[in-house]
Amino acid sequence: MNEVEMAVVQQALAILDRHMRDKSVTLESPQAARDFLRLKLERRESEVFALVLLDAKHRLISYRELFFGTIDGASVYPREVVKVALADNCAACFLVHNHPSGASHPSQADRVLTQRLKDALALIDVRVLDHFVVGQSEITSLAELGWM
């Protein structure tokens, strides 16, 4: 990506961040979440696991990047995810991570992790609405695949 493209992406992220801080913004549909997440993670060179924390009306509380890995993986700790959910007092969340390889199809490990996090967050009454895997030009929703 050249300097001009980087500047445009940075401006788009700044506008998106300002827009998402407006408490009237909701992320009720997978497409609304995709639009937000594409700018955040699509071009990252290493794997990043993040949470999109929502209130009871699915308004954005915060977007938090929690774990950083290598080109093909990141370690995710349920205890730390629960701590962040409690700290932000969320009612629901989206899980999200990128695949720097560009392929957005979830792995078996992604499915297992999703279930572990759903179980852990259910103990504190936080609903996991979806888990998105961000690839290049494509984002896969585990909920749309029927895996949630």
Side-chain angles (χ1 to χ4, degrees):
M1 190 178 317
N2 65 38
E3 282 185 39
V4 173
E5 290 171 329
M6 278 301 272
V8 170
V9 168
Q10 291 303 320
Q11 287 179 329
L13 283 170
I15 291 167
L16 184 61
D17 283 341
R18 280 195 306 275
H19 176 69
M20 297 313 277
R21 284 191 192 111
D22 176 0
K23 285 298 184 180
S24 66
V25 173
T26 59
L27 294 175
E28 292 180 334
S29 73
Q31 188 57 49
R34 276 185 176 92
D35 294 340
F36 177 71
L37 299 172
R38 179 168 284 120
L39 277 175
K40 291 288 191 182
L41 293 174
E42 185 176 54
R43 296 202 181 269
R44 300 292 281 270
E45 293 180 0
S46 59
E47 194 162 305
V48 176
F49 179 90
L51 288 178
V52 178
L53 301 156
L54 308 168
D55 69 11
K57 294 184 180 180
H58 297 168
R59 293 177 300 201
L60 181 71
I61 295 171
S62 66
Y63 165 83
R64 304 273 299 269
E65 293 182 354
L66 300 180
F67 305 103
F68 304 88
T70 62
I71 60 169
D72 64 353
S75 295
V76 177
Y77 302 97
R79 173 185 169 86
E80 298 302 316
V81 172
V82 169
K83 284 171 49 178
V84 169
L86 286 170
D88 281 10
N89 198 31
C90 72
C93 69
F94 293 119
L95 311 174
V96 60
H97 76 281
N98 65 318
H99 282 174
S101 68
S104 69
H105 191 74
S107 67
Q108 182 60 30
D110 294 337
R111 293 179 72 177
V112 170
L113 175 64
T114 301
Q115 190 57 54
R116 285 186 67 209
L117 293 174
K118 276 181 63 177
D119 293 345
L121 290 165
L123 294 172
I124 60 166
D125 296 322
V126 173
R127 285 186 55 219
V128 177
L129 302 176
D130 207 338
H131 184 163
F132 293 99
V133 181
V134 179
Q136 287 186 337
S137 305
E138 183 175 55
I139 298 178
T140 299
S141 158
L142 272 71
E144 288 180 348
L145 294 174
W147 295 349
M148 293 294 298

